[in-house]
Amino acid sequence: MDIRMSLAIMAGKLTRFAIKMIGRSASSFPGGVALKLCPDLLRRMQLPKKTVAVTGSNGKTTTTQMIYAAAREAGIDLICNTEGSNQIQGVTAMFLQHCTLGGKVKADMALIESDERFCQYTFKQFAPDYMVITNLYRDQMTRNGHSEFVRKELAKGIPADTTLIINADEPVSASLAAHRKAIRYGLSADIFPEKEGTGHAYHDGAYCPVCYAEMTYNSRVFSHVGDYKCPSCGFARGTVDHEITAVKDGVFILDHVHAVTPQMCNSNFAYNIAAAYTTLVKAFDFAPEKAAAALDHFIIRGDRLHEFNLNGHRGLFTLTKHENSMAYNAALSELNTVKEATLVLIVDQLSRKYVANDMSWLWDIDFEPAAAEGVKRVIVSGQFAYDLAVRLAFAGIQDERLTVEPDLDNMMTDLKENAVGDIYVMTCFTDVGKFTSRLKEVQA
Amino acid sequence: MIRIVHAYPDLLNLYGGDADLRLLKAYLEAVGEEVSVEPLTVDAVSSADLIYFGAGTENKMLAAAKKLIPLRDALLAYHEVGKPLLFIGSSSALPMQTIIGLDGKEMLGLGLVEGRAKLHEKRNYTEVLADCPFGEHPVVGSYNSSLEIQTQEPAFLRIVFDSEKKAGDIEGICKNGLVATQVAAPLLVRNPGLLDHYADLLAGRQLPDPNVAWYRRAWMGYVCAVDILKNAMHK
């Protein structure tokens, strides 16, 4: 009997019980307690027969939700770190919740959403059978440096026996598949084609992520994502195992055959669907038609998208990610088709843990949709409102449409009294409560 | 016509990319100058008024160092007459005599200044408040880097606050028109006092009307940033 392991498990379970008794979230702390007592706990436990990990800069939570819902609906005995924490403490907490004191996890499969940089710690003790890597974009540069650094850190966390499920269209993450077992997914070139010459704030695909020679593209979906090839070393998108081959009347067609009606008909959501579909087919042994049916009409839960009403104006709140240009770009692209709207951008705090002042990430975002004719007003608010205002001036937003109001209370008053058309609010989880609490007050 | 040369914008494009040059160009145009921003070539070097190297990933900075080898003589001649060069972030390695990669291998830098640059595994991120020789306003920004610069050349910044270094420590290089600093944010966007400095240098004058909206807001953003760091200092 492994006494140390059992004591650690007991301590973790008791910690979870105590935290839950006082009504708090126990998504990671119990795991931290158990790991302090037994650092190689996960190596000692009897984990489920099959484990699938999901990681990447953007889309891992949505992709994980999709896979989890489909698998559970199909009756698979699956556990997942759905409570949110995707670092080793959270993964451990998930296993603790479902295991005996003898360390046997009572589930056939585990689905683990993992932070990209923490894979090297979490998967030091056990190897997931499959690892889905959605993409590696510029994300939280203060913490992560840049996508190549994250790629290097993530590479340390991919065990030799793990099969990757990789987004072939995204070259930085796709380069991890070299010399590894990999299943590839993507989008066909002509379904969300980007117009030739479309400008972006930056181009992370201009140079090959393998040999740093100049890279070429046959087509792009957006930014550096698309059908690329390096003429020097041959690194290329190549063929894929599964892809979205068409979009017809707002419906995605997978592998020429299977239809999925998406919650949002855009390329970002398409990649989430393609990732989930490929994982269900390859890692969960779903028949392709069954995987497509499971994903059909899938709705994202939680606070990422939230509709509200303010003084007769319809509002849509989108949770983006500060320091993540792709998340902002996806949200902002919706503005291209609005008829009459007020856009609110709130940047008040980058991190709850440390002082962070770096606004360079604003210049990675394609803010030009905010200058669309239908966007009648743009309000920038929070501590970094002036930095936002400078950025927007260089994205073509005329001064007469722009209101700079750092004070969040004043912003909300202005929004309530002077919004024009629909209201689009974009901010990050560090600032979301500041908006929603004020919204509740003015709605009351 | 003021000619700004932007070196490898698709290779050295981190931490704000071309934002510094977009603001500098707008500033110079606001004071009545005609401005071009051109790619780096041997011919462009000889007629440049300012050459700018942005921050890049470590591998891209090394790729840039290889691409620069044929331009060494032209850049040395440019630097010897004291014309301005600005190296931001990891491109601070480029003007050094040698650059040492993670594998310990040495490669040639531009040799514009004495010393060497060394890459490390560990990354450091820190917010910075520092005094600089250009004007009365401290520089505020951040560095996000795994690069160590070893040099005896005159420093660009004297640290007032930085979570890694002690107050009074130095950072960067400032010599004969060349400025190399690992501080980004972006550097000129975050520090409009430096925009004033470069405008003076290139056009002989500054903005007469501080009511240019973006410029005024850049200053307000700067003041907020300084306040945030000063509050952090006193905690």
Side-chain angles (χ1 to χ4, degrees):
Chain A
M1 188 186 172
D2 189 335
I3 293 176
R4 186 174 188 177
M5 176 192 70
S6 296
L7 282 173
I9 291 171
M10 191 180 328
K13 284 180 179 289
L14 286 171
T15 305
R16 178 185 159 81
F17 178 76
I19 292 173
K20 286 292 195 187
M21 285 289 287
I22 60 172
R24 306 288 285 271
S25 165
S27 66
S28 70
F29 189 69
V33 166
L35 287 169
K36 269 271 187 296
L37 294 171
C38 184
D40 64 340
L41 177 64
L42 298 181
R43 202 193 311 275
R44 298 178 188 222
M45 290 174 74
Q46 201 178 331
L47 299 180
K49 287 197 296 267
K50 196 188 273 192
T51 307
V52 177
V54 182
T55 191
S57 304
N58 289 43
K60 54 181 180 289
T61 300
T62 300
T63 302
T64 303
Q65 273 190 35
M66 289 176 175
I67 297 167
Y68 182 66
R72 293 282 289 183
E73 180 68 26
I76 293 176
D77 183 16
L78 173 72
I79 56 173
C80 178
N81 52 333
T82 49
E83 286 186 354
S85 173
N86 57 15
Q87 297 178 9
I88 186 171
Q89 297 85 353
V91 174
T92 305
M94 172 193 71
F95 284 129
L96 288 177
Q97 201 185 339
H98 297 279
C99 76
T100 64
L101 286 178
K104 180 173 163 55
V105 177
K106 295 173 286 183
D108 288 337
M109 288 186 72
L111 178 64
I112 298 170
E113 182 193 323
S114 180
D115 177 275
E116 314 80 277
R117 287 182 57 195
F118 268 75
C119 285
Q120 61 185 291
Y121 307 111
T122 307
F123 304 127
K124 209 174 179 171
Q125 302 192 26
F126 69 97
D129 298 276
Y130 296 88
M131 183 184 291
V132 184
I133 305 178
T134 55
N135 47 64
L136 288 176
Y137 296 146
R138 296 186 182 195
D139 177 45
Q140 297 178 73
M141 307 282 253
T142 47
R143 175 177 170 258
N144 289 335
H146 48 73
S147 55
E148 284 183 15
F149 176 73
V150 178
R151 181 183 62 179
K152 188 163 71 114
E153 296 292 285
L154 174 52
K156 295 177 195 172
I158 304 175
D161 290 337
T162 298
T163 300
L164 296 183
I165 297 177
I166 205 115
N167 179 352
D169 293 356
E170 199 284 289
V172 179
S173 57
S175 65
L176 284 165
H179 314 299
R180 289 195 169 99
K181 291 179 285 185
I183 299 160
R184 302 155 66 82
Y185 69 88
L187 306 189
S188 291
D190 49 354
I191 62 169
F192 286 110
E194 187 171 81
K195 274 187 222 153
E196 186 79 32
T198 301
H200 290 288
Y202 65 90
H203 183 14
D204 272 351
Y207 291 84
C208 174
V210 177
C211 72
Y212 298 94
E214 287 187 47
M215 202 151 71
T216 60
Y217 281 73
N218 290 326
S219 61
R220 273 178 235 266
V221 178
F222 55 83
S223 191
H224 65 283
V225 178
D227 185 6
Y228 50 86
K229 187 181 167 107
C230 175
S232 178
C233 71
F235 173 65
R237 186 246 192 207
T239 55
V240 294
D241 297 282
H242 295 288
E243 63 184 338
I244 295 182
T245 45
V247 180
K248 284 182 185 150
D249 300 323
V251 176
F252 295 155
I253 307 297
L254 283 134
D255 296 338
H256 301 282
V257 178
H258 308 293
V260 171
T261 301
Q263 182 181 7
M264 290 174 282
C265 189
N266 59 44
S267 53
N268 285 297
F269 207 77
Y271 279 116
N272 294 333
I273 291 281
Y277 172 83
T278 305
T279 307
L280 288 169
V281 171
K282 296 295 193 194
F284 286 80
D285 300 322
F286 273 48
E289 60 271 16
K290 183 179 167 187
L295 295 170
D296 194 30
H297 291 97
F298 177 85
I299 302 292
I300 297 173
R301 65 165 173 81
D303 291 331
R304 298 277 165 125
L305 289 174
H306 177 73
E307 287 197 13
F308 62 92
N309 191 289
L310 180 61
N311 212 15
H313 295 271
R314 189 181 77 103
L316 181 64
F317 172 85
T318 305
L319 194 65
T320 57
K321 289 165 83 173
H322 291 336
E323 304 183 89
N324 186 301
S325 52
M326 293 295 190
Y328 267 93
N329 289 350
L332 287 163
S333 66
E334 300 295 316
L335 298 173
N336 284 320
T337 52
V338 301
K339 298 274 185 308
E340 192 178 64
T342 297
L343 170 65
V344 181
L345 296 163
I346 301 170
V347 180
D348 194 59
Q349 185 180 14
L350 287 192
S351 168
R352 290 175 184 151
K353 289 185 193 164
Y354 46 84
V355 172
N357 230 339
D358 187 335
M359 289 291 121
S360 60
W361 57 277
L362 291 180
W363 297 86
D364 286 342
I365 298 170
D366 298 328
F367 274 110
E368 283 69 17
E373 203 176 314
V375 181
K376 303 302 183 189
R377 286 194 69 195
V378 180
I379 303 173
V380 292
S381 192
Q383 203 170 198
F384 297 101
Y386 295 111
D387 298 297
L388 273 165
V390 173
R391 175 66 188 97
L392 293 180
F394 285 82
I397 285 86
Q398 301 109 328
D399 213 45
E400 50 270 22
R401 281 202 265 172
L402 180 63
T403 302
V404 186
E405 179 47 81
D407 184 275
L408 294 164
D409 291 327
N410 292 345
M411 175 276 295
M412 188 56 79
T413 304
D414 180 17
L415 188 63
K416 183 183 177 188
E417 291 170 6
N418 304 309
V420 177
D422 293 341
I423 299 170
Y424 288 79
V425 180
M426 295 174 194
T427 190
C428 176
F429 75 90
T430 46
D431 292 332
V432 61
K434 297 167 192 174
F435 176 78
T436 53
S437 60
R438 286 169 172 83
L439 178 66
K440 278 186 189 133
E441 277 174 24
V442 297
Q443 283 174 325
Chain B
M1 166 86 79
I2 292 177
R3 291 195 155 80
I4 298 175
V5 168
H6 187 179
Y8 314 130
D10 280 338
L11 200 55
L12 304 172
N13 62 1
L14 284 184
Y15 312 138
D18 66 351
D20 280 340
L21 292 186
R22 292 175 74 178
L23 262 71
L24 183 58
K25 183 171 186 282
Y27 189 123
L28 291 168
E29 286 169 347
V31 301
E33 293 289 340
E34 212 182 320
V35 184
S36 72
V37 180
E38 301 166 17
L40 178 65
T41 62
V42 171
D43 290 339
V45 170
S46 56
S47 58
D49 296 299
L50 166 70
I51 304 179
Y52 178 95
F53 295 78
T57 69
E58 288 73 35
N59 287 325
K60 288 181 178 170
M61 179 275 290
L62 293 172
K66 283 194 192 127
K67 284 164 81 76
L68 283 168
I69 291 171
L71 287 104
R72 284 183 100 226
D73 290 342
L75 286 165
L76 194 56
Y78 174 95
H79 172 55
E80 278 175 349
V81 298
K83 293 177 86 177
L85 287 145
L86 185 48
F87 296 89
I88 305 285
S90 61
S91 70
S92 293
L94 297 172
M96 311 308 291
Q97 288 165 317
T98 50
I99 304 170
I100 303 167
L102 281 175
D103 54 8
K105 286 192 188 145
E106 281 194 12
M107 64 184 293
L108 275 181
L110 288 168
L112 303 182
V113 293
E114 170 276 327
R116 63 184 200 167
K118 191 169 188 306
L119 285 171
H120 294 280
E121 283 282 352
K122 188 174 181 292
R123 294 195 73 80
N124 287 317
Y125 175 84
T126 179
E127 300 283 328
V128 174
L129 185 68
D131 291 327
C132 91
F134 304 154
E136 64 197 58
H137 300 284
V139 161
V140 65
S142 54
Y143 38 79
N144 195 333
S145 173
S146 61
L147 185 67
E148 179 194 359
I149 301 291
Q150 299 166 353
T151 185
Q152 300 296 319
E153 299 283 21
F156 176 51
L157 297 176
R158 185 163 296 276
I159 306 298
V160 174
F161 169 76
D162 170 332
S163 53
E164 297 284 321
K165 296 181 191 231
K166 290 192 282 259
D169 279 356
I170 55 175
E171 192 280 336
I173 297 173
C174 182
K175 181 184 175 186
N176 197 29
L178 183 152
V179 169
T181 176
Q182 294 193 61
V183 174
L187 183 72
L188 303 186
V189 173
R190 174 48 91 219
N191 296 281
L194 291 180
L195 283 173
D196 292 338
H197 166 78
Y198 278 99
D200 243 340
L201 195 63
L202 297 171
R205 58 194 179 280
Q206 298 181 11
L207 260 178
D209 178 8
N211 274 323
V212 171
W214 68 259
Y215 176 75
R216 192 178 70 247
R217 287 166 180 155
W219 273 109
M220 290 163 112
Y222 167 80
V223 167
C224 288
V226 170
D227 281 347
I228 288 170
L229 283 187
K230 283 187 172 169
N231 287 338
M233 260 171 79
H234 295 125
K235 277 198 181 141

